[in-house]
Amino acid sequence: MTKSAHGAQPVSLAVPILEQHSSLETRSGGFVYQLARIPAPTGGVSLASFSLASALALAESQQLLLPGLAGFFVPLLLALGGFWLLPLLSKYLLQPRLLLNELAHPVLGSVLPTAAMAMMVAASWLVQLDTAAAQQAGVVLWSGAVALHAVLLIGFCGRQWRLFSLDRMVPSWFVPPIGIVVACVTAPAMGLELVAQPLFWFGLVAYGIKLPVMLYRLLFVERIPESALCTFAIMGAPASLLLAGYLSCFDTPNHLLVLLLAPIALSMTALVYLALIKLLQLPFSPGYAAFTFPLVIGATAQLLLSQWAQQNGMAELAELTAIAGLGELVVAAVMVLYVSGHYISALFKSAF
């Protein structure tokens, strides 16, 4: 609990391991009750699993991996992403009231869009199947996911605006406005780059506005309580996501903007690496999901930067960023598997 800067009621940023809802709806049956207890941050683990599959495929296309390595792990990661995403979506489809309740929470509400982001990445894989039906379904899924993210963004901002105070802010507040840039990373698979490009500029402006405010909050306002401290890892995601989205969605990226985003992305990823030394000592909570996607998108951004540098005759930069990207990819893969293992363990403990 933290005390509001305006003297209002204390703000709870706690995120329980499994959500405990008291509504009659969750008591109506065992299956529905278990779905209701799936934590919202599960969407982040699904997003990271799907995105790690994409990063491995990208690294293989750049001949940075042993032949066949990505082919072995990609199906497993796609299955893992679906394993986490489908029950979470079922939870909200069966009990939309829970979605509204969680949207009002300053932490849970901010991570709800990760489910929509995971749907976008899943759609980018679906359109690669060699059937017209799958490709059409992928475009529909992607479009629905972008629309869902926009709705969750508006809903979260509307809910938090009425109770706004700096002590309510946590780094996961970057997710609603900037997470939608995942659309830019995935749009090329569907040939919808022109549709997604405005979302990049929206995310870039949002980051430019929110970053100094968040840094002020972290440096000069009351400490983030331990229950929400894991969200600090999300600081590593926005700049890398913007860089990855820009390089993916624009045919001729501006060199100056690329070289502005690149060091910020790398610095933020390095900051998260340092923070993980302490964060990994925290007891397990759903907030561990914050340790996954920021590392994956950091690796993806470096791999895309290497590809861009190679295409623009910057051989030395291409080599350095390829090495950095591959190293980050290994760390991200270990972290996704580590966090997934904790989630699976918590799931079985809850079930049995």
Side-chain angles (χ1 to χ4, degrees), residues 21-34 36 95:
H21 296 284
S22 60
S23 70
L24 292 176
E25 290 177 277
T26 62
R27 298 176 181 176
S28 61
F31 175 71
V32 175
Y33 175 69
Q34 290 299 327
Q95 301 193 72

Side-chain angles (χ1 to χ4, degrees), residues 57-66:
L58 176 61
E60 185 176 65
S61 72
Q62 297 177 353
Q63 299 181 335
L64 297 175
L65 299 178
L66 293 174

Side-chain angles (χ1 to χ4, degrees), residues 105-273:
H105 191 282
V107 179
L108 297 180
S110 64
V111 300
L112 282 173
T114 57
M117 295 157 67
M119 291 166 62
M120 295 179 211
V121 185
S124 71
W125 281 99
L126 191 58
V127 296
Q128 296 180 45
L129 298 178
D130 194 22
T131 66
Q135 293 166 3
Q136 292 173 358
V139 173
V140 170
L141 178 63
W142 184 87
S143 302
V146 173
L148 175 60
H149 192 118
V151 169
L152 292 174
L153 165 61
I154 294 169
F156 177 74
C157 291
R159 293 273 181 144
Q160 299 306 319
W161 180 258
R162 292 178 298 156
L163 303 171
F164 179 76
S165 63
L166 285 176
D167 58 314
R168 289 177 65 89
M169 288 185 68
V170 288
S172 57
W173 281 31
F174 282 116
V175 175
I178 301 161
I180 202 166
V181 178
V182 167
C184 299
V185 180
T186 53
M190 282 151 285
L192 295 173
E193 293 93 331
L194 291 179
V195 175
Q197 284 175 2
L199 300 177
F200 167 79
W201 297 113
F202 173 82
L204 182 65
V205 171
Y207 188 52
I209 294 171
K210 182 157 283 187
L211 180 60
V213 178
M214 186 64 71
L215 291 175
Y216 179 86
R217 183 263 181 268
L218 293 174
L219 293 173
F220 301 110
V221 182
E222 187 173 351
R223 271 189 74 190
I224 296 175
E226 184 176 296
S227 60
L229 199 55
C230 290
T231 63
F232 182 82
I234 293 175
M235 292 291 293
S240 291
L241 179 56
L242 287 166
L243 178 59
Y246 189 49
L247 293 173
S248 299
C249 208
F250 291 79
D251 291 332
T252 55
N254 180 277
H255 284 46
L256 182 60
L257 184 53
V258 172
L259 296 176
L260 174 66
L261 287 172
I264 298 174
L266 191 59
S267 299
M268 286 296 184
T269 300
L271 179 64
V272 171
Y273 281 170

Side-chain angles (χ1 to χ4, degrees), residues 28 35 98-99 185 187 189 235 337:
S28 61
L35 281 180
L98 298 182
L99 178 65
V185 180
M235 292 291 293
L337 295 176

Side-chain angles (χ1 to χ4, degrees), residues 44-59:
V45 185
S46 174
L47 169 63
S49 300
F50 285 135
S51 299
L52 181 57
S54 298
L56 286 172
L58 176 61

